[in-house]
Amino acid sequence: MSEEQRESLEAFRLEKLWRIAGLRIDPWGQKFDGHQAIDAVRELPVPQPREGELAEPGPTVRIAGRIMLKRGQGKVVFLDLRDWTERIQIFIGKKQIGDLGWNLVELLDLGDLIGVDGTLGYTKTGERTVFASSVTFLSKSLLPPPEKWHGLTNLEQRYRRRYVDLFTNPESLQTFLGRSKIITTFRKVMAEKGFVEVETPSMQAIAGGAAARPFITHHNTLDIDLFLRIAPELYLKRLLVGGMERVFEIGRVYRNEGISPKHNPEFTMMEAYQAYGDYHAMMDLTEDLICGSIEALGGGYQRPWGDSTIDFTPPWPRRTYAGLLREHAGVDPLDFASIKARADEKGIATEGKDPDVVTSALFEELVEDRLTGPIFVIDYPSALCPLTKRKAANPAVAERFELYIEGMELANAYTELNDPLLQEQLFRSQLAGLPEEESMAKMDDDFVRALKHAMPPAGGLGIGIDRLCMILMNRPSIRDVILFPLMRPQLAASASSENAEGEPEPG
């Protein structure tokens, strides 16, 4: 649709708005109390019609929603009305609603919001229908919807104009309602297990808790740089020191890194810490959270993913990092010569790099994509885990797991390191060589000080909510499950081409 056509249609709808106002009807509506959800209305008992006859009227109903389809002739109009639960057909007759009501009906457009009072019944063709006794105007749509109500089909426009995507593509709306169910389930499960929900700073003086590049902002009054958090970890552990034994937080974290179907710079994470637990307790918790989410969504443990199926039936396998490296990469994690040779073969840089870093790169290259899962990968090289407790019998191995599903890491958990002397030593080793101006080159001395007041042995867990939503609802891109993903600023020339085809550009 050209810009001229769009402006013409908007002007036509604006003229209708003034005509609605001329009927002494508020074109922006008022409160509409007592309306029922359309899916509940569709389930109400209604007398079945006899063949060729109109059925007896059913219960009186009151609904509200958006006009998705309008058709009719003469003194009868049929509408399809949709709310956030379902759609239903509306029958409107001039005789039933009177002249004033009919004058309003003639001014209705696709996309307008209306309320309907009437009785539930069946048409002669057997379709469940609300037979309107009155129509209440609730809000005028000045912009036309996508042509023919096919919805937004272009991915970029769906992400940019989510407000249109949601009311034109029911599967998109259901995705986000499903996401809400998952987060609600997380809170329910955590409460049942005795965890309390807390909030920690989103702006932090030191970027800590993960190895990632932060976003930098500036506080004018204090004249200091601050960092949008890359993880809430170090603050949540401070709460363990303070005596809050089971804590969790669900919130946004920010990482100034790339964009892909699996990555968005702003994403939602749940982090949890349990005093006197360990990474085995966190594996059990992870299973309970995800299985509880599946039960809340419905559809069972066998869930579609693209052309395949993922079996979430618990318990899930637990495999060691070293064992998987042997199986899929054909190397012994203790034999760096063989690891280096395999890395060279795959084009992975090895010169001047720590053996465990090279091993990790090889794991990412040759193992991760084969982890269809769900599978817990456990016992990582300790050099990769500066915040993790080492195994007592083998300090080279850290008590850490990552949960993989279809090659994606969904959860990361540790038996937390609570030795302040070792923690300080590992921090200094990790930061050595980084320039002082580097935002990630600052040690959190206050966190080390907190550990010196004694943090209990604990298990800690982080779960990526967005990736979990992707997997459980069979959506191929993280942008499909984030309401407003980061997008590159749109050029004015392309802003009006709502139905143009093409792939979305990265943020």
Side-chain angles (χ1 to χ4, degrees), residues 8-249:
S8 174
L9 285 172
E10 187 173 350
F12 183 61
R13 285 171 173 251
L14 188 61
E15 190 269 335
K16 284 188 176 181
L17 179 142
W18 300 127
R19 290 172 62 190
I20 290 170
L23 297 174
R24 297 187 177 180
I25 295 172
D26 183 351
W28 305 117
Q30 300 291 336
K31 186 168 66 169
F32 191 71
D33 285 333
H35 63 280
Q36 303 151 274
I38 290 178
D39 66 344
V41 167
R42 293 188 66 91
E43 296 299 318
L44 293 173
V46 182
Q48 292 287 336
R50 296 179 180 178
E51 186 175 349
E53 297 181 8
L54 286 174
E56 297 178 17
T60 299
V61 297
R62 181 174 171 89
I63 59 176
R66 189 180 295 271
I67 299 172
M68 307 297 288
L69 190 64
K70 181 181 179 183
R71 60 200 182 280
Q73 55 185 358
K75 299 179 181 180
V76 170
V77 166
F78 285 92
L79 305 177
D80 275 10
L81 202 69
R82 179 182 290 281
D83 68 4
W84 70 339
T85 67
E86 251 292 0
R87 59 158 292 280
I88 197 166
Q89 180 172 268
I90 311 296
F91 171 90
I92 304 176
K94 183 176 181 179
K95 179 180 178 182
Q96 287 76 21
I97 65 169
D99 290 340
L100 178 60
W102 190 254
N103 290 339
L104 172 63
V105 168
E106 290 184 315
L107 296 174
L108 295 179
D109 283 315
L110 299 186
D112 288 350
L113 299 173
I114 63 170
V116 175
D117 290 279
T119 55
L120 186 63
Y122 288 97
T123 61
K124 289 183 179 180
T125 59
E127 182 165 357
R128 185 167 284 226
T129 300
V130 175
F131 293 84
S133 58
S134 69
V135 174
T136 303
F137 199 78
L138 297 177
S139 193
K140 184 65 185 170
S141 174
L142 294 180
L143 289 175
E147 294 177 9
K148 300 180 182 178
W149 281 115
H150 288 165
L152 287 180
T153 56
N154 173 261
L155 279 179
E156 181 174 357
Q157 292 301 331
R158 292 182 70 171
Y159 300 149
R160 288 188 186 279
R161 303 185 183 186
R162 186 69 81 188
Y163 44 87
V164 177
D165 175 45
L166 290 172
F167 72 73
T168 63
N169 294 309
E171 75 282 358
S172 183
L173 176 60
Q174 291 308 310
T175 293
F176 291 103
L177 295 179
R179 179 189 173 105
S180 181
K181 287 181 181 178
I182 290 171
I183 293 174
T184 298
T185 299
F186 269 45
R187 289 194 163 102
K188 178 174 180 288
V189 171
M190 297 302 282
E192 289 171 350
K193 292 181 179 294
F195 286 80
V196 294
E197 186 170 7
V198 298
E199 295 176 312
T200 61
S202 291
M203 293 190 298
Q204 302 178 355
I206 296 174
R213 184 168 298 281
F215 288 94
I216 304 173
T217 187
H218 188 80
H219 190 285
N220 291 333
T221 301
L222 296 179
D223 193 24
I224 58 171
D225 284 340
L226 295 170
F227 307 97
L228 296 184
R229 67 180 177 191
I230 55 179
E233 177 171 350
L234 302 187
Y235 282 94
L236 292 172
K237 288 181 182 177
R238 285 172 168 91
L239 299 181
L240 292 183
V241 174
M244 299 183 73
E245 295 185 359
R246 296 190 178 203
V247 295
F248 79 99
E249 182 171 12

Side-chain angles (χ1 to χ4, degrees), residues 281-407:
M282 295 298 100
M283 279 185 255
D284 295 337
L285 177 60
T286 302
E287 234 174 58
D288 289 344
L289 287 164
I290 295 178
C291 289
S293 298
I294 290 170
E295 290 163 10
L297 291 172
Y301 287 126
Q302 308 280 334
R303 304 192 73 82
W305 175 250
D307 296 328
S308 61
T309 299
I310 304 172
D311 184 358
F312 284 92
T313 305
W316 303 336
R318 303 178 181 189
R319 298 284 307 280
T320 66
Y321 181 94
L324 289 167
L325 201 61
R326 290 189 189 97
E327 179 181 342
H328 296 297
V331 296
D332 186 330
L334 300 178
D335 181 2
F336 185 60
S338 66
I339 289 172
K340 183 178 184 305
R342 194 80 167 96
D344 289 339
E345 177 187 319
K346 301 303 295 184
I348 297 170
T350 61
E351 190 65 34
K353 293 197 174 182
D354 185 279
D356 285 323
V357 173
V358 176
T359 304
S360 177
L362 195 63
F363 189 91
E364 290 179 9
E365 177 72 21
L366 296 179
V367 181
E368 286 187 0
D369 285 346
R370 302 187 186 188
L371 302 177
T372 55
I375 180 173
F376 291 111
V377 180
I378 67 174
D379 298 346
Y380 278 67
S382 59
L384 302 176
C385 315
L387 297 168
T388 312
K389 183 168 283 188
R390 278 78 177 112
K391 281 189 171 295
N394 184 4
V397 176
E399 293 190 352
R400 170 189 179 184
F401 80 74
E402 290 187 353
L403 172 66
Y404 280 89
I405 303 175
E406 292 297 327

